[in-house]
């Protein structure tokens, strides 16, 4: 059973637009929610993460919005650039814990 | 080293053969994790090491899969009698401490079983 559900599977955005990727989880014991960015042939790299005690976290053009009551969180990429074209994975875990539960990924293409 | 190193980067093997995948974590990182990434799927947890011991092997899909870690450093994931469904990218990650704080992933080993 997929512990973290991610949508959409793929996304095409014009340069300068906003990219939005959504994730939902069921396990209320999760208390750490990272997003990873993966380029072809590379391993995932931590992009930004949030704990459930805040509703939003922003780092540069990347923002996580977190809705604890709905058990949903999303990644917003403002002013999307062609260099942002990659696969994005949301994840959830317990702290402390031994593993992350990953979503199935979103392939983002930013068109120049 | 500067990052997590995995070898080989690509491996093609015949069905039924055994394979060994290697992971060199970042120096000093005590926690090491193996994940599997299949086409169109998210990352699937396989096993976690703290030092040389593996307190969580819950993700290993069958007894054909095993892993060890020596010297608190290098880890080897072994798949015996490979099957076509084992084809995937195998990713290793390490972190300075255990507890699920941000990992650093390697670039993975792409395994193709023909």
């Amino acid at each position: 059973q997929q512990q973290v559900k991610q949508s959409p599977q793929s996304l095409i955005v014009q340069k300068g637009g906003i990219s939005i990727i959504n994730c939902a989880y069921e396990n209320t014991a999760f208390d750490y929610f990272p997003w990873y960015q993966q380029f072809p042939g590379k391993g995932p790299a931590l992009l930004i993460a949030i704990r459930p005690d805040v509703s939003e976290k922003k780092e540069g053009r990347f923002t996580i919005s977190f809705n604890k009551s709905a058990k949903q969180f999303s990644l917003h990429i403002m002013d999307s650039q062609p260099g942002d074209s990659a696969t994005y994975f949301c994840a959830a875990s317990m702290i402390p814990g031994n593993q992350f539960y990953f979503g199935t990924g979103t392939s983002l293409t930013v068109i120049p | 080293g500067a990052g997590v190193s995995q070898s080989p980067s690509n491996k093609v093997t015949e069905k039924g053969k055994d394979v060994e995948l290697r992971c060199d974590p970042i120096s000093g990182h005590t926690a090491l994790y193996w994940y599997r990434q299949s086409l169109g799927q998210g990352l699937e947890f396989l096993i976690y090491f703290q030092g040389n011991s593996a307190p969580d092997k819950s993700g290993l899909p069958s007894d054909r899969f095993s892993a060890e870690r020596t010297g608190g450093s290098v880890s080897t994931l072994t798949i015996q009698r490979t099957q076509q469904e084992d084809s995937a990218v195998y990713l290793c990650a390490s972190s300075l401490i255990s507890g699920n704080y941000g990992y650093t992933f390697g670039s993975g080993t792409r395994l193709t079983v023909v």
Side-chain angles (χ1 to χ4, degrees), chain B residues 77-94:
Chain B
L77 177 68
T78 301
I79 309 173
Q80 296 179 309
R81 305 180 303 281
T82 51
Q83 303 294 313
Q84 287 187 331
E85 62 262 27
D86 299 335
S87 297
V89 175
Y90 289 82
L91 291 161
C92 175
S94 69

Side-chain angles (χ1 to χ4, degrees), chain B:
Chain B
V4 178
S5 178
Q6 292 188 246
S7 59
S9 55
N10 281 283
K11 176 72 175 178
V12 180
T13 190
E14 293 181 353
K15 178 181 173 182
K17 294 284 180 70
D18 298 351
V19 295
E20 287 189 353
L21 312 180
R22 178 186 168 106
C23 173
D24 281 276
I26 293 173
S27 179
H29 278 197
T30 62
L32 185 146
Y33 309 81
W34 284 96
Y35 283 79
R36 179 168 70 175
Q37 185 175 22
S38 303
L39 188 63
Q41 301 295 315
L43 281 70
E44 174 190 9
F45 170 77
L46 297 178
I47 188 170
Y48 152 64
F49 286 93
Q50 177 58 40
N52 290 338
S53 65
D56 190 349
K57 306 179 183 179
S58 62
L60 294 178
S62 74
D63 59 8
R64 296 187 295 105
F65 288 72
S66 63
E68 65 175 11
R69 188 179 185 195
T70 56
S73 180
V74 173
S75 177
T76 303
L77 177 68
T78 301
I79 309 173
Q80 296 179 309
R81 305 180 303 281
T82 51
Q83 303 294 313
Q84 287 187 331
E85 62 262 27
D86 299 335
S87 297
V89 175
Y90 289 82
L91 291 161
C92 175
S94 69
S95 64
L96 187 60
I97 58 173
S98 62
N100 265 348
Y101 301 101
Y103 313 149
T104 301
F105 278 94
S107 295
T109 293
R110 180 175 297 278
L111 176 66
T112 303
V113 182
V114 298

Side-chain angles (χ1 to χ4, degrees), chain A residues 27-33 50-53 66 92-96:
Chain A
N27 189 341
T28 55
F30 290 148
D31 59 2
Y32 180 68
F33 303 89
I50 198 168
R51 300 293 298 268
D53 52 343
F66 185 81
S93 72
M94 289 166 274
I95 299 288

Side-chain angles (χ1 to χ4, degrees), chain A residues 1-75:
Chain A
Q1 182 183 1
Q2 193 73 27
Q3 296 254 11
V4 178
K5 296 181 180 178
Q6 183 172 348
S7 63
Q9 185 175 359
S10 63
L11 182 61
I12 300 174
V13 173
Q14 292 278 355
K15 179 182 174 181
I18 302 173
S19 304
I20 302 174
I21 305 170
N22 300 300
C23 285
Y25 64 97
E26 287 297 325
N27 189 341
T28 55
F30 290 148
D31 59 2
Y32 180 68
F33 303 89
W35 284 90
Y36 281 82
Q37 179 188 56
Q38 185 178 30
F39 293 104
K42 301 294 185 183
L46 179 64
L47 188 62
I48 186 173
I50 198 168
R51 300 293 298 268
D53 52 343
V54 296
S55 60
E56 185 175 282
K57 182 174 182 180
K58 183 175 181 179
E59 291 185 1
R61 297 184 294 109
F62 300 91
T63 300
I64 299 179
S65 296
F66 185 81
N67 186 329
K68 188 174 181 178
S69 61
K71 293 184 286 186
Q72 295 176 346
F73 58 110
S74 60
L75 176 69

